[in-house]
Amino acid sequence: MLFWFVVAIGVLILFFILTSMWESTLRTQESHHQSRAQLISQSVTNVLRTHELILDVAAAELVRSDLINHTREVPPFLDDIMDASSALAGFGMAMPDGELVKVTSSVDIHQAPNLLEQEASRDGFQRALESDRLIVGRTYFLAAVNAWIIPARKAVRNENGDVVAVMSAGIRADGDTGVFGKNMHVGPDDSVVIYREHDGYLQFMSKEGSSPEMYTSTHEVPEPHEVDWVDDIGAGENILEVVKARPVPSTYYRERGGENYIGAAWYSPDYELWIISESNDRVVWADFVKRGSILLAVFSALAVLLFILVLHIERAEKERRSALMYRSRHDDLTSLLNRVGLIDQIQELVKDGENFGVILLDIDNFSGINDRFGQDHGDKVLTEFARCLAELARDQYSVARLGGNEFAVVSPVRNPSKLLALCNDLLKSLIREISSGPLRLQLGVTLGAAVSPEHGGSFNSIIRSAHLALYQAKKARNDVCLYRKDLEAEHLRRVHIEQRLRVAIKNQELFMAYQPQLDDSGRVVGMEALARWNDAELGYVPPNEFVEVAEACGLMIDLGNYVLDRSLADFRVIVDQVHAPLELSVNISTMQFIQPGFGDFVLAKLKKHNVHPRQLTLEITETVFISGFEQVLPVLEQLRGAGINLSMDDFGTGYSSLSLLRKLPIDELKIDKSFVDSINDDERARNMVESIIAIGQNHRMRLVAEGVEEAAQFKTLIAMGCGRFQGYLFSRPVRAEELLTVINECNARVIH
Ligand code: C2E
Ligand code: CA
Ligand code: CA
């Protein structure tokens, strides 16, 4: 737009310049014609005066020599006089009856015509007879001199005033040079014309393509009263008189035969001649075009330059805008689409009425990676993960990073079971080890999927559905889940739990229950601390449920700290009352464990409650190793070095292999309730327990069986070599106040 604006202004300026250039071209032409007409007028006047003088001299000489008679002859002195003018074709003296009698040698005396009888000269001769002045006759071809001549005549009178002779000169009208030369004009559109006013005969004409034959008849010549006079010389009837009276030529414009002319005219009152310098306006145009084209060329060049510049600027601007657009729709770190980009993509699909699937992916325990190894390693993991994901999902619609460690894949696959299969493929390929500098991190990933339009017809609803599925999948980690309707209710409950839990933790509404652990003789040797929560609105919320919510919404650290503090405080009290060796087991969530400074925190708590580290067992699960074995090792070793025992809870239910265990600095294995439940009915459970016990014994680990409900299970486990037991068979988890009674009851049953 700016370009066109500048061009428009340029065109306007150009228009004004051209207009004034046109005006000045006209003025130049006008003044050219004016000066030429002036010059020719002076020349013509001079030439005629000169020849009048020549005729006067010759007449005087003829009178003096007494040669005014009818004898035809060629007096030599006439030739001498003729030498004074190169323009003369010849001259001579005619008697009043028209007969030419005395001539210069240039005139063929035998061909000399009777000037009064000859049509072309009659009128001029007669007028000469009646006048005292030089009379210019019609231009005609005089055979006697073999040339086109302009006759100039002057009567010679005696003392009485009677005409005795008429002097007659023939001035060449077809010479190459001089005032009556045929090259007075310049170019095909230019002309110089002299014509007689009283009869319209051309006296002289210099013009491309003209020939002397034109002098033989009257012609259409410029009519002085049909033209537009330029100078301010008034208007009206007598304008021509004004023009005629002016001492200088007057410029004019006129139209003739469909063409326009510009010229200047001057009237000679002495000889009654119009002297005209005129050209076709093509000359003006040519001049104008010549001058204007330079300007136009410069203007065009400038416009082209400006256009190129503007084009360049516009292209740069476009690039900048599209780069900005790209940046606004893409993630800086991974170059994948960002949330805005994903919204666009999904809205586009929805608008087009496409069916599609959305998969949300979450890198398990990513915040742990960032917290412990720093942002750089975190970024490295993210870019590497993004690269793998983009590669794996190259056939899908798009891959996006929604922020943090959350990614999304939009897929043309909308069949739920096929989408689930795709999720499983992705899961398999994405669980891998990523190395960042010296670190080698084991990545885990969880996927939630939903299809549009069944699970949501807009960006927000489909992403929400996929989120619910993701959340569900996260319960198991490294899992995949497709959206189901019942996830909605779970989601609502989770939101409710989260709200209430926040308040409960702040007000310390949670309390601890303790479940005794016995040795094979039935003596209580330890207890596991288990958190309990009775909410005013929600009623009893099982720990599985609120622990999961706490982990998901960032409340776990506070909750865990509270649990450790309370358990140690309660334990201190119980130990003092029991007077027998007792140990305390506390469940530690992965999130707590991978928190920087966790080891120091535990040691400080032990000191605070005056509990010996050997009395404390921390129960962890395999998910602690999800972000890499090497990274957790230093924490494990710090705790063990201080004397704290480490227990592997729910062993055998997770993803890690039994072989992982060999490397672990672990003091205790907890045989999961699921194996204990079916130990007497299911061969596989039995084998599993046997393997776990074998590994434990191999590595000198303590073996604890949990969920022992039946005496038969107890017996089998003893037979297999398990050393510690925990379950409803002995006691449910009880409040701290009841614990002493329960311990004493158990110990009383011990068979000595
Ligand atoms: P867990 O660590 O495996 O705890 C053992 C669970 O088995 C407890 O459930 C306990 O009450 C139950 N249990 C023990 N013996 C029997 C039995 O003979 N029969 C049956 N049916 N159940 C038995 P609870 O207290 O509901 O805790 C569930 C899970 O919640 C725990 O599993 C643990 O993962 C988590 N949890 C509980 N308290 C805490 C806590 O303070 N911190 C952390 N991080 N997690 C906790
Ligand atoms: Ca436990
Ligand atoms: Ca367990």
Side-chain angles (χ1 to χ4, degrees):
M1 242 167 73
L2 186 75
F3 171 74
W4 291 117
F5 180 71
V6 171
V7 166
I9 292 204
V11 166
L12 219 65
I13 292 170
L14 188 71
F15 175 76
F16 282 117
I17 293 176
L18 287 177
T19 310
S20 73
M21 194 178 268
W22 172 250
E23 288 297 324
S24 106
T25 310
L26 288 179
R27 293 297 91 77
T28 308
Q29 280 294 319
E30 283 169 11
S31 90
H32 160 73
H33 283 295
Q34 199 165 27
S35 4
R36 190 166 69 166
Q38 175 102 44
L39 207 70
I40 294 168
S41 304
Q42 280 167 359
S43 303
V44 167
T45 310
N46 283 344
V47 166
L48 294 178
R49 290 238 170 87
T50 305
H51 288 93
E52 186 175 1
L53 207 67
I54 288 172
L55 291 184
D56 285 347
V57 169
E61 196 60 27
L62 285 167
V63 171
R64 201 177 57 81
S65 311
D66 199 17
L67 287 176
I68 312 289
N69 53 46
H70 272 90
T71 317
R72 286 187 172 211
E73 60 182 311
V74 182
F77 67 86
L78 288 186
D79 283 349
D80 294 341
I81 294 171
M82 198 176 95
D83 287 346
S85 165
S86 59
L88 268 179
F91 77 97
M93 183 195 83
M95 294 311 282
D97 61 3
E99 199 174 333
L100 206 50
V101 285
K102 307 285 186 273
V103 293
T104 53
S105 59
S106 59
V107 182
D108 182 354
I109 190 87
H110 305 295
Q111 284 194 45
N114 184 308
L115 297 177
L116 207 52
E117 285 167 10
Q118 185 183 247
E119 204 257 320
S121 55
R122 184 188 303 135
D123 159 79
F125 193 83
Q126 226 147 29
R127 291 209 297 146
L129 288 176
E130 292 153 14
S131 173
D132 291 336
R133 295 187 305 160
L134 186 81
I135 298 296
V136 181
R138 266 172 55 188
T139 303
Y140 73 101
F141 184 77
L142 179 62
V145 292
N146 193 31
W148 287 89
I149 54 147
I150 299 169
R153 301 194 178 89
K154 194 173 180 187
V156 183
R157 296 173 190 270
N158 60 17
E159 304 86 71
N160 306 329
D162 300 324
V163 176
V164 290
V166 174
M167 294 305 294
S168 201
I171 305 164
R172 286 184 185 279
D174 56 0
D176 288 332
T177 55
V179 67
F180 297 121
K182 53 191 176 207
N183 293 321
M184 290 290 282
H185 67 282
V186 184
D189 296 310
D190 189 44
S191 63
V192 171
V193 177
I194 301 173
Y195 75 97
R196 294 146 62 92
E197 193 194 40
H198 81 278
D199 59 7
Y201 272 97
L202 275 179
Q203 198 77 65
F204 169 74
M205 182 178 230
S206 173
K207 185 184 181 178
E208 202 86 349
S210 68
S211 68
E213 276 71 28
M214 291 185 303
Y215 300 132
T216 60
S217 56
T218 53
H219 281 269
E220 201 205 330
V221 288
E223 299 287 342
H225 52 274
E226 282 179 2
V227 304
D228 287 335
W229 298 101
V230 171
D231 298 321
D232 188 15
I233 41 180
E237 288 287 305
N238 57 358
I239 181 163
L240 200 55
E241 294 312 312
V242 178
V243 170
K244 278 163 103 173
R246 293 184 84 206
V248 288
S250 306
T251 46
Y252 65 85
Y253 290 87
R254 64 165 299 169
E255 200 239 290
R256 181 168 14 105
E259 306 222 34
N260 293 310
Y261 295 85
I262 177 174
W266 182 71
Y267 181 72
S268 161
D270 288 348
Y271 305 114
E272 296 177 357
L273 293 175
W274 279 100
I275 291 147
I276 289 169
S277 167
E278 188 185 80
S279 59
N280 192 298
D281 70 352
R282 277 193 290 270
V283 173
V284 187
W285 277 109
D287 191 17
F288 175 68
V289 166
K290 201 171 96 191
R291 288 211 262 164
S293 56
I294 295 168
L295 188 71
L296 263 170
V298 169
F299 178 80
S300 309
L302 281 177
V304 166
L305 269 177
L306 185 68
F307 185 70
I308 291 170
L309 187 75
V310 166
L311 218 63
H312 193 75
I313 291 172
E314 195 184 77
R315 194 170 306 148
E317 182 62 19
K318 252 189 204 153
E319 270 166 20
R320 201 181 64 84
R321 224 178 299 154
S322 72
L324 221 66
M325 186 75 176
Y326 181 88
R327 284 196 62 186
S328 74
R329 299 177 81 251
H330 288 81
D331 177 48
D332 283 346
L333 182 65
T334 62
S335 298
L336 296 176
L337 285 182
N338 60 16
R339 193 175 192 87
V340 177
L342 187 73
I343 290 177
D344 278 2
Q345 156 99 70
I346 288 184
Q347 279 175 347
E348 194 94 324
L349 289 170
V350 168
K351 206 175 76 194
D352 295 348
E354 299 268 353
N355 296 334
F356 57 93
V358 172
I359 303 169
L360 290 185
L361 303 95
D362 197 291
I363 306 177
D364 291 333
N365 263 332
F366 181 75
S367 65
I369 296 176
N370 254 354
D371 290 347
R372 284 181 299 148
F373 312 118
Q375 191 83 29
D376 287 352
H377 287 299
D379 285 355
K380 182 86 193 289
V381 169
L382 285 174
T383 34
E384 184 60 17
F385 181 84
R387 199 189 56 74
C388 292
L389 182 60
E391 171 67 19
L392 290 167
R394 60 186 180 277
D395 297 334
Q396 311 302 326
Y397 283 149
S398 58
V399 179
R401 178 176 172 223
L402 288 179
N405 58 336
E406 197 170 295
F407 293 81
V409 172
V410 181
S411 168
V413 178
R414 56 162 306 272
N415 176 297
S417 54
K418 282 187 184 155
L419 193 65
L420 213 52
L422 175 66
C423 287
N424 278 310
D425 287 348
L426 288 176
L427 179 70
K428 248 182 266 155
S429 313
L430 287 169
I431 293 180
R432 56 201 291 273
E433 207 170 62
I434 284 184
S435 51
S436 167
L439 294 173
R440 282 163 65 227
L441 305 167
Q442 179 63 43
L443 273 200
V445 63
T446 306
L447 296 89
V451 293
S452 179
E454 290 87 340
H455 300 159
S458 68
F459 174 80
N460 282 334
S461 58
I462 183 89
I463 289 292
R464 182 179 175 276
S465 298
H467 250 150
L468 291 182
L470 179 68
Y471 201 95
Q472 181 65 24
K474 265 192 177 172
K475 288 182 182 168
R477 289 178 196 279
N478 286 327
D479 200 1
V480 165
C481 178
L482 186 72
Y483 173 84
R484 301 185 307 267
K485 197 107 197 132
D486 58 284
L487 294 179
E488 296 285 347
E490 277 184 41
H491 172 66
L492 286 180
R493 177 165 168 84
R494 246 183 346 244
V495 171
H496 200 178
I497 289 176
E498 184 188 327
Q499 286 170 352
R500 299 295 304 167
L501 188 63
R502 235 173 251 283
V503 180
I505 291 173
K506 206 169 130 225
N507 300 343
Q508 307 209 331
E509 287 168 18
L510 288 99
F511 62 95
M512 302 308 298
Y514 300 93
Q515 187 175 33
Q517 291 182 345
L518 298 82
D519 62 12
D520 53 1
S521 70
R523 181 179 300 278
V524 175
V525 289
M527 56 206 210
E528 180 180 3
L530 296 156
R532 292 289 176 265
W533 179 30
N534 276 310
D535 183 61
E537 282 180 20
L538 292 159
Y540 176 75
V541 183
N544 286 324
E545 207 175 348
F546 68 76
V547 163
E548 186 202 309
V549 172
E551 283 189 327
C553 69
L555 287 169
M556 194 58 230
I557 307 286
D558 284 348
L559 177 61
N561 293 351
Y562 172 74
V563 163
L564 190 65
D565 196 59
R566 276 305 299 271
S567 309
L568 287 170
D570 289 345
F571 181 70
R572 181 71 260 155
V573 175
I574 295 288
V575 165
D576 289 346
Q577 292 170 345
V578 171
H579 306 299
L582 264 186
E583 287 173 20
L584 172 70
S585 290
V586 180
N587 293 286
I588 300 297
S589 137
T590 296
M591 214 152 265
Q592 284 172 275
F593 197 82
I594 61 176
Q595 174 198 10
F598 177 68
D600 297 338
F601 174 77
V602 176
L603 293 175
K605 286 284 176 206
L606 285 170
K607 210 170 206 167
K608 175 185 169 194
H609 295 289
N610 193 23
V611 174
H612 195 276
R614 295 219 181 281
Q615 292 178 290
L616 180 65
T617 299
L618 298 182
E619 294 190 7
I620 55 174
T621 59
E622 289 155 304
T623 56
V624 159
F625 302 104
I626 216 148
S627 56
F629 180 70
E630 287 87 351
Q631 284 76 51
V632 194
L633 222 53
V635 191
L636 294 175
E637 263 148 14
Q638 184 197 1
L639 294 167
R640 283 187 93 208
I644 296 167
N645 304 294
L646 294 174
S647 172
M648 180 58 68
D649 205 353
D650 305 339
F651 187 72
T653 59
Y655 67 90
S656 57
S657 61
L658 294 180
S659 61
L660 172 77
L661 200 72
R662 279 185 211 113
K663 302 193 227 164
L664 291 182
I666 290 285
D667 307 282
E668 177 185 285
L669 290 182
K670 282 192 98 169
I671 301 165
D672 195 66
K673 180 178 177 296
S674 57
F675 304 123
V676 175
D677 277 347
S678 41
I679 195 163
N680 287 323
D681 330 307
D682 184 355
E683 190 63 29
R684 267 184 300 171
R686 211 186 153 83
N687 288 342
M688 189 70 187
V689 174
E690 271 171 353
S691 313
I692 295 171
I693 290 174
I695 292 166
Q697 285 172 344
N698 257 346
H699 293 86
R700 297 174 204 283
M701 290 173 185
R702 199 159 66 195
L703 289 152
V704 183
E706 69 178 355
V708 182
E709 292 182 346
E710 296 161 12
Q713 292 165 347
F714 184 37
K715 229 182 244 166
T716 308
L717 285 161
I718 291 175
M720 285 175 134
C722 184
R724 270 195 196 200
F725 310 88
Q726 179 184 349
Y728 290 180
L729 176 65
F730 315 105
S731 168
R732 291 182 173 252
V734 296
R735 285 176 174 252
E737 304 87 81
E738 301 166 47
L739 189 58
L740 189 60
T741 321
V742 171
I743 292 173
N744 288 335
E745 274 174 21
C746 285
N747 286 348
R749 282 202 297 266
V750 173
I751 317 124
H752 294 286

